[in-house]
């Protein structure tokens, strides 16, 4: 695909290839082209580098593949494939210890190794961060473990011209990433609120900062910007950090700004939904068991909470009988295409027991839940609530499920990062809903963001 460059992108790329530049931060909105610019910037910095080994990191290997390697045709191995593999060859290689990497052929400059790292798994990134590393790209750096960031810097000390490039959306002003960023010199336009924060900190030589908005992306027309801007209510925390690209502080209640009850609480017609999942959270101690039936519109244009049953701790047999009765009840009420029964992945013994029993009884396949993080699940539901892509049945059960979202709060001291979990019933209800949603998380988010 052809890249269209504007002045901001060209200025940024010139900083990337300047050996005097030690660090470059690209902060701003979604769909601003900051990540695409960072990908090209790290490529050319590595190409001109003296070191053999470099690093590209993202939250997990899935996001690294989607955001960095592929990136809708503008990724490392889609735009620059000829530097990484011959025709018919896979560009991905694997170390016996350490993980995947790319080998980049830089002609007379020799071959460079780019290690690929998921910073969500401490055991794995410790294996990857052995030896010296000259150039580093960290995507969504605001959610990376500060220990990982410190370790990356320590791997660069032996080089004359080390380079780190960060991409991130705005975050809470107290996020740890800003301890690494605020000492940078601001290049170009920047919101006054961010400038005021950064002006408090002495500047370091070779550290630079750029702020990005959707207007910086050549493919974002006024119509596309208006559509993207309508994802979240104006003034909400996610509108501030995702649409304005600024830093902000959320309220104590996670979802309350995004819930329009008249929009999401409806009398649902089960015949409109083409497939279903049943998901179950297994409570411990004073927590509850919670079973949820979710329905999906064709092409995953939306998801609906049809029913939810919660009950206190019971024995294995009664718990299983309640689950089977729930499935059979809703089969009879029209939910005939139940794809899976999804159980908390931490309950592996129970999952194995159910798999054998459900197969024998010709009930839907039992699987473990997808291990999305709490933050991923929160981000997903904020998008679904704000866009009206999640509905709740206008019944006692449906209203109770919606109330669980209204009660969700941030954990003390981790606002904007982690949901409080003190084994309250609302937490079990949310977990049960999320285990089903994450089965089709990418498809639901793609539909929500498309409008």
């Amino acid at each position: 695909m052809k890249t269209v460059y504007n002045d901001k992108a060209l200025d940024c790329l010139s900083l990337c290839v300047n050996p005097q530049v030690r660090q470059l931060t690209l902060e701003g909105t979604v769909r601003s082209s900051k990540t695409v610019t960072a990908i090209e910037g790290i490529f050319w910095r590595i190409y001109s580098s003296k070191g053999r080994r470099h690093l590209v990191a993202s939250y997990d290997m899935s996001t690294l593949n989607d955001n960095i390697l592929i990136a809708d045709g503008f990724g490392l191995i889609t735009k620059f494939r000829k530097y990484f593999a011959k025709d018919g060859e896979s560009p991905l290689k694997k170390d016996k210890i350490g993980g995947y990497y790319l080998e980049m052929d830089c002609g007379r400059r020799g071959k460079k190794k780019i290690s690929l790292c998921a910073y969500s798994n401490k055991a794995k990134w410790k294996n990857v961060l052995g030896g010296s590393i000259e150039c580093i790209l960290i995507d969504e750096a605001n959610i990376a473990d500060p220990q990982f960031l410190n370790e990356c810097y320590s791997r660069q000390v032996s080089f004359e011209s080390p380079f780190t490039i960060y991409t991130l959306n705005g975050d809470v002003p107290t996020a740890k990433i800003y301890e690494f960023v605020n000492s940078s010199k601001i290049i170009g336009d920047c919101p006054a609120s961010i400038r005021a924060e950064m002006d408090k900190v002495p500047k370091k030589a070779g550290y630079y900062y750029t702020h990005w908005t959707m207007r910086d992306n050549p493919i974002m027309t006024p119509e596309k910007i208006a559509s993207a801007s309508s994802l979240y209510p104006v003034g909400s925390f996610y509108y501030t950090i995702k649409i304005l690209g600024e830093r902000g502080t959320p309220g104590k209640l996670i979802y309350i700004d995004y819930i329009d009850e008249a929009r999401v609480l409806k009398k649902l017609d089960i015949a409109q939904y083409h497939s279903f999942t049943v998901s179950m959270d297994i409570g411990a101690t004073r927590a509850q068991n919670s079973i949820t039936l979710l329905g999906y519109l064709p092409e995953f244009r939306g998801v609906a909470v049809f029913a939810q049953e919660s009950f206190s701790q019971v024995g294995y047999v009664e718990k299983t009988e309640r689950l089977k009765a729930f499935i059979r009840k809703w089969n009879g009420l029209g939910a005939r295409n139940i794809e899976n029964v999804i159980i908390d992945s931490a309950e592996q013994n129970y999952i194995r027991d159910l798999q054998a029993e459900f197969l024998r009884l010709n009930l839907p396949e039992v699987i473990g839940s997808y291990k999305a993080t709490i933050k991923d699940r929160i981000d997903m539901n904020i998008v679904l609530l704000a866009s009206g892509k999640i509905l709740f049945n206008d019944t006692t059960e449906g209203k109770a499920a919606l109330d669980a979202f209204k009660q969700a709060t941030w954990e003390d001291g981790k606002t904007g990062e982690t949901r409080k979990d003190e084994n309250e019933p609302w937490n079990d209800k949310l977990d049960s809903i999320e285990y089903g949603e994450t089965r089709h998380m990418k498809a639901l988010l793609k539909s929500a963001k498309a409008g």
Side-chain angles (χ1 to χ4, degrees):
M1 299 180 71
K2 184 179 179 181
T3 304
V4 179
Y5 299 97
N6 56 22
D7 289 343
K8 177 169 281 188
L10 291 172
D11 288 345
C12 228
L13 292 175
S14 68
L15 288 170
C16 289
V17 296
N18 183 339
Q20 301 304 311
V21 175
R22 170 68 178 86
Q23 179 177 296
L24 176 62
T25 299
L26 289 73
E27 181 178 29
T29 73
V30 296
R31 305 183 197 178
S32 62
S33 77
K34 63 184 182 297
T35 302
V36 168
T37 303
I39 290 167
E40 183 155 352
I42 198 69
F43 173 86
W44 290 116
R45 181 62 174 249
I46 292 172
Y47 187 87
S48 60
S49 69
K50 295 180 180 179
R52 152 76 174 158
R53 189 152 171 261
H54 311 275
L55 176 73
V56 169
S58 190
Y59 177 77
D60 57 24
M61 293 308 293
S62 177
T63 54
L64 194 152
N65 183 67
D66 292 345
N67 295 351
I68 305 297
L69 301 185
I70 306 301
D72 294 327
F74 295 98
L76 273 177
I77 63 175
T78 47
K79 183 170 183 178
F80 302 107
R81 188 181 183 89
K82 68 178 183 179
Y83 292 90
F84 298 110
K86 297 177 182 178
D87 290 343
E89 290 182 351
S90 171
L92 284 177
K93 304 181 187 302
K94 194 169 191 311
D95 281 322
K96 291 182 179 179
I97 299 176
Y100 288 97
Y101 68 95
L102 303 174
E103 189 168 69
M104 179 174 164
D105 188 345
C106 300
R108 289 179 297 174
R109 292 180 171 85
K111 292 186 176 181
K112 310 293 174 73
K113 179 179 181 180
I114 305 176
S115 296
L116 306 176
C117 177
Y119 51 68
S120 60
N121 188 319
K122 186 172 183 178
K124 289 187 176 179
W125 66 249
K126 278 185 168 291
N127 285 335
V128 172
L129 292 187
S132 298
I133 301 171
E134 183 173 1
C135 301
I136 297 174
L137 164 61
I138 303 177
D139 183 42
E140 297 183 301
N142 53 308
I143 61 174
D145 184 341
Q147 185 183 353
F148 170 75
L149 301 178
N150 280 320
E151 188 69 21
C152 285
Y153 283 115
S154 73
R155 297 296 166 183
Q156 296 177 306
V157 295
S158 63
F159 293 98
E160 293 180 5
S161 301
F163 180 62
T164 297
I165 186 165
Y166 291 137
T167 68
L168 63 150
N169 298 131
D171 206 324
V172 295
T174 55
K176 288 292 184 181
I177 185 63
Y178 296 125
E179 295 179 8
F180 301 92
V181 166
N182 284 351
S183 56
S184 304
K185 178 181 179 181
I186 299 170
I187 303 295
D189 295 333
C190 174
S193 59
I194 293 178
R195 189 177 293 276
E197 282 289 317
M198 295 182 64
D199 282 349
K200 300 174 184 176
V201 181
K203 303 309 169 196
K204 293 182 180 179
Y207 284 61
Y208 295 92
Y209 172 96
T210 56
H211 190 270
W212 296 70
T213 72
M214 285 182 266
R215 293 186 299 276
D216 294 316
N217 187 340
I219 71 168
M220 289 298 286
T221 63
E223 293 77 17
K224 289 180 179 178
I225 292 174
S227 177
S229 299
S230 67
L231 272 176
Y232 310 103
V234 174
S236 66
F237 172 62
Y238 271 64
Y239 185 88
T240 300
I241 65 172
K242 300 288 188 181
I243 304 305
L244 300 181
E246 298 186 28
R247 304 169 190 179
T249 302
K252 185 176 181 180
L253 293 170
I254 298 174
Y255 299 110
I256 203 69
D257 288 342
Y258 310 96
I259 295 175
D260 179 351
E261 188 165 314
R263 187 182 192 189
V264 300
L265 188 62
K266 303 286 185 183
K267 286 291 185 184
L268 299 176
D269 180 0
I270 204 164
Q272 294 182 354
Y273 291 79
H274 82 304
S275 64
F276 302 85
T277 57
V278 170
S279 47
M280 185 175 186
D281 180 51
I282 309 297
T285 60
R286 68 188 184 93
Q288 290 190 326
N289 298 291
S290 186
I291 308 171
T292 303
L293 175 72
L294 296 181
Y296 303 92
L297 290 171
E299 299 175 351
F300 300 99
R301 294 193 304 272
V303 59
V305 182
F306 271 91
Q308 190 169 70
E309 178 181 330
S310 297
F311 51 93
S312 299
Q313 284 303 298
V314 294
Y316 173 92
V317 173
E318 184 176 346
K319 179 168 55 183
T320 304
E321 288 304 313
R322 285 191 181 224
L323 176 59
K324 290 189 289 188
F326 182 91
I327 293 167
R328 287 167 174 152
K329 170 188 173 180
W330 283 97
N331 266 159
L333 292 174
R336 302 193 183 281
N337 184 22
I338 297 178
E339 301 173 333
N340 302 106
V341 177
I342 304 167
I343 309 293
D344 180 357
S345 59
E347 302 289 333
Q348 286 301 314
N349 290 336
Y350 188 54
I351 290 169
R352 282 192 289 270
D353 290 345
L354 288 185
Q355 285 172 335
E357 184 172 355
F358 276 42
L359 179 62
R360 178 176 58 82
L361 296 173
N362 198 32
L363 289 169
E365 179 188 17
V366 177
I367 61 174
S369 61
Y370 171 64
K371 292 185 178 181
T373 66
I374 293 290
K375 185 67 165 58
D376 287 337
R377 289 148 56 177
I378 290 171
D379 288 351
M380 169 184 64
N381 275 309
I382 284 175
V383 171
L384 294 177
L385 286 165
S387 62
K389 293 293 186 178
I390 181 171
L391 300 180
F392 299 81
N393 211 359
D394 191 2
T395 61
T396 300
E397 293 177 0
K399 290 176 181 177
L402 180 57
D403 283 344
F405 282 89
K406 293 178 180 179
Q407 295 173 68
T409 57
W410 296 110
E411 183 177 329
D412 295 340
K414 293 189 176 180
T415 300
E417 299 177 34
T418 304
R419 189 173 68 210
K420 182 180 287 186
D421 187 353
E422 295 181 344
N423 291 323
E424 297 293 338
W426 62 260
N427 236 311
D428 305 312
K429 291 175 181 178
L430 289 182
D431 284 340
S432 177
I433 292 168
E434 291 164 352
Y435 294 154
E437 289 173 319
T438 51
R439 173 71 174 165
H440 298 296
M441 181 164 63
K442 287 185 178 180
L444 289 169
L445 287 175
K446 182 177 180 181
S447 174
K449 291 175 181 179

